[in-house]
Amino acid sequence: MMLLPRWFAEAILLLISVLAFTNAAYIGVNIGTDLTNMPPPSDIVTLLKSRQITHIRLYDANSHILKAFANTTIQVMVGITNQEILKIGRFPSAAASWVNKNVAAYVPSTNITAISVGSEVLTASPHVAPILASALNNIHKALVATNLNFQVKVSTPMSMDIMPKPFPPSTSTFSPSWNTTVHQILQFLDNTGSFFMLNAYPYYGYTTANGIFPLDYALFKQLSAVKQIVDPNTLLHYDSMFDAMVDAAYYSMEALNFSKIPVVVSETGWPSFGGSDEAAATITNAETFNSNLIKRVLNNSGPPSKPDIPINTYIYELYSEDKRSGPESEKNWGMFYTNGTSVYPLGLNGGGGGGSGSADLNGTMLFCVAKVDADDDKLEDGLNWACGQGRANCAAIQPGQACYMPNDIKSHASYAYNDYYQKMKGVGGTCDFDGTAITTPRDPSYRTCAYTGSPNANGTGGNFPPTALGPASQVGGNANALIISINHLPFLATLALNLLLLL
């Protein structure tokens, strides 16, 4: 067998990362672990795959979680804690050791594509700030030494607090007390082709503004003509506080003569519950914010001052962290319960609670079908479960009906699996069936047989009203799926990973 050089596989991975960043925006999710009943890593992977989530950010480099993501192609951002920065910033050997242990040891099986060095260091751990730029440089040099610097980018998340007056965006600047440190960081990001990580929370922007901005502005809702938010200097209109926050970062960087560093929103979200003095922290507002956020990000446009630069964004967070200290809202940012069901309906319709089918974020329909090599006995068990306990509508695969032929177990199982998946995905239903099923963007419909979710499904009764089965969300109705995906060349990613494993 001809062995391909390692650089060939690495070149494919580099091409994937470049196309992924420039082709279209993506939505990722933050995964915190400060909760009482943290699901096992395998369950986390299952949840993410079932919801088509392809980008995650970790706050550390948990070995169990990183191992679980092996061979998934999910893009992983690992984190260096604020406590680790001092040692890494002072000693290049410590940085090399960290990269070898927490990145090189898992690549290429685990698709690590970024490292976040600390979290809001300038405001949360100011004593560490003077050495932050050194830590970034040392980590990057360690990546160069392991030949991973093209695949793995390095940055550090910043709080909105480092911009004292973010509105109007055009006059926003970084706090003068941090100018030297921020300039060093921006120089590093510019030199290495990395991105500026911004933790942008309209929830806090709204709750601390003392009524200056309307709630609808924070929730991406359309404002009346008399309430339009306009920058008086540029006359640019801001339809959401989120866009204004991102633009404030761009203008602040430009004030220090950096104009080519893209902004990635490393954290944003909305709490679904709060204390008696946290009136805005409601499940309805959380649902509205995150649903509209997904729509906003995935229209592939940037903020008003940078309309051609999409805003890649990570939602905070996957699970609520009940062990966090602080106000009640701090414990209620999660979008999913630990059993995998949604806290509230969340989809692409901006309001949740409706919609059918299982489209990924490119608008591509995902269908659930039987694997080609699946065992017939397991397929029969899966078919019986789907048509029975799973309550799939299996009328179309009965003798004489539109999907009865071909009369074989794989065809019938595929139809039943897909019907169940389309109806139950929003409340935790997955496309697995004991390992006999797989999702595909290819419509499996044929001749007169239209699969549930297909544009032509009316002919066989495949389109469906919102299901009444499964656990109800706290706001009524069933929790629709959070379907977060972007087509980052999964075939090439798998090919590159397999090639590297063979070298």
Side-chain angles (χ1 to χ4, degrees):
M1 181 181 71
M2 180 181 70
L3 291 179
L4 295 172
R6 183 180 181 88
W7 63 262
F8 180 76
E10 290 174 341
I12 293 178
L13 279 175
L14 175 58
L15 175 62
I16 292 167
S17 65
V18 171
L19 290 176
F21 193 80
T22 59
N23 188 39
Y26 64 78
I27 287 280
V29 63
N30 288 276
I31 303 178
T33 58
D34 201 10
L35 58 153
T36 302
N37 297 307
M38 184 71 184
S42 59
D43 288 359
I44 297 173
V45 172
T46 298
L47 172 62
L48 296 173
K49 291 172 72 174
S50 72
R51 297 305 196 272
Q52 311 304 317
I53 298 172
T54 58
H55 291 75
I56 65 159
R57 176 185 168 216
L58 305 176
Y59 289 89
D60 54 18
N62 183 291
S63 61
H64 299 293
I65 295 179
L66 289 176
K67 289 177 182 176
F69 280 99
N71 305 313
T72 64
T73 73
I74 291 174
Q75 296 196 30
V76 180
M77 181 187 297
V78 293
I80 293 173
T81 65
N82 289 5
Q83 292 74 24
E84 294 174 298
I85 292 176
L86 282 176
K87 187 175 182 180
I88 288 173
R90 288 171 177 166
F91 305 106
S93 59
S97 176
W98 194 96
V99 166
N100 287 329
K101 177 183 177 182
N102 299 301
V103 180
Y106 300 99
V107 174
S109 297
T110 301
N111 191 18
I112 298 174
T113 57
I115 300 172
S116 61
V117 180
S119 180
E120 302 186 351
V121 173
L122 304 191
T123 51
S125 304
H127 66 286
V128 177
I131 206 165
L132 178 56
S134 176
L136 292 167
N137 276 291
N138 285 345
I139 288 293
H140 178 72
K141 290 175 182 177
L143 290 171
V144 171
T146 53
N147 203 28
L148 293 173
N149 54 300
F150 290 110
Q151 178 183 340
V152 183
K153 294 300 181 183
V154 183
S155 188
T156 181
M158 298 289 190
S159 165
M160 284 295 300
D161 291 338
I162 68 171
M163 295 171 279
K165 296 180 180 179
F167 194 87
S170 62
T171 59
S172 178
T173 60
F174 296 115
S175 174
S177 61
W178 294 117
N179 269 359
T180 300
T181 299
V182 171
H183 190 279
Q184 292 173 342
I185 293 169
L186 294 178
Q187 190 66 67
F188 168 82
L189 300 178
D190 194 46
N191 291 344
T192 60
S194 191
F195 41 82
F196 183 88
M197 295 176 68
L198 178 68
N199 291 352
Y201 286 99
Y203 170 75
Y204 291 123
Y206 167 73
T207 57
T208 61
N210 298 317
I212 295 176
F213 298 109
L215 178 61
D216 286 353
Y217 178 56
L219 296 175
F220 297 91
K221 288 186 174 182
Q222 186 172 355
L223 300 176
S224 64
V226 296
K227 292 184 178 180
Q228 292 290 313
I229 307 298
V230 180
D231 187 313
N233 303 305
T234 62
L235 300 183
L236 292 174
H237 287 245
Y238 287 88
D239 295 328
S240 72
M241 187 180 294
F242 177 82
D243 279 79
M245 288 178 163
V246 173
D247 248 356
Y250 275 119
Y251 280 111
S252 295
M253 285 192 284
E254 288 182 1
L256 293 179
N257 298 315
F258 292 93
S259 60
K260 297 181 180 179
I261 302 172
V263 172
V264 169
V265 175
S266 40
E267 290 181 19
T268 192
W270 200 282
S272 59
F273 184 76
S276 58
D277 59 341
E278 297 177 297
T282 69
I283 198 166
T284 300
N285 287 345
E287 172 196 347
T288 300
F289 177 86
N290 281 326
S291 292
N292 287 340
L293 169 72
I294 293 170
K295 287 174 57 179
R296 164 65 190 92
V297 170
L298 294 173
N299 70 18
N300 292 327
S301 67
S305 80
K306 303 281 186 180
D308 297 327
I309 303 179
I311 312 170
N312 295 327
T313 299
Y314 292 81
I315 298 177
Y316 183 84
E317 60 185 330
L318 190 66
Y319 305 116
S320 291
E321 296 179 271
D322 62 304
K323 294 168 67 176
R324 289 182 63 88
S325 59
E328 188 64 29
S329 61
E330 280 296 305
K331 304 175 178 65
N332 291 281
W333 291 82
M335 296 179 291
F336 295 96
Y337 296 113
T338 52
N339 65 2
T341 58
S342 303
V343 174
Y344 43 78
L346 191 59
L348 301 181
N349 56 8
S356 63
S358 303
D360 70 16
L361 292 187
N362 290 310
T364 302
M365 193 68 199
L366 291 176
F367 299 88
C368 180
V369 297
K371 290 182 178 178
V372 175
D373 59 351
D375 178 78
D376 283 356
D377 289 338
K378 283 190 173 183
L379 285 174
E380 185 170 359
D381 290 341
L383 172 63
N384 290 336
W385 185 92
C387 296
Q389 185 179 344
R391 302 190 187 185
N393 181 357
C394 297
I397 55 176
Q398 301 307 309
Q401 299 304 308
C403 300
Y404 178 69
M405 298 299 292
N407 181 21
D408 64 67
I409 189 67
K410 284 185 174 63
S411 178
H412 289 182
S414 290
Y415 185 89
Y417 285 3
N418 182 69
D419 188 83
Y420 166 84
Y421 176 66
Q422 301 298 342
K423 295 177 179 178
M424 300 303 295
K425 180 176 182 180
V427 291
T430 62
C431 179
D432 183 70
F433 295 93
D434 196 22
T436 63
I438 189 172
T439 56
T440 175
R442 179 179 173 275
D443 188 344
S445 303
Y446 57 94
R447 295 191 297 276
T448 59
C449 177
Y451 273 50
T452 305
S454 169
N456 303 312
N458 285 332
T460 54
N463 279 341
F464 51 88
T467 177
L469 305 177
S473 74
Q474 298 177 29
V475 292
N478 290 320
N480 288 343
L482 169 67
I483 308 168
I484 300 181
S485 173
I486 200 72
N487 182 10
H488 285 305
L489 308 178
F491 170 75
L492 285 178
T494 303
L495 172 63
L497 293 174
N498 288 335
L499 284 172
L500 285 172
L501 287 172
L502 291 172
L503 299 178

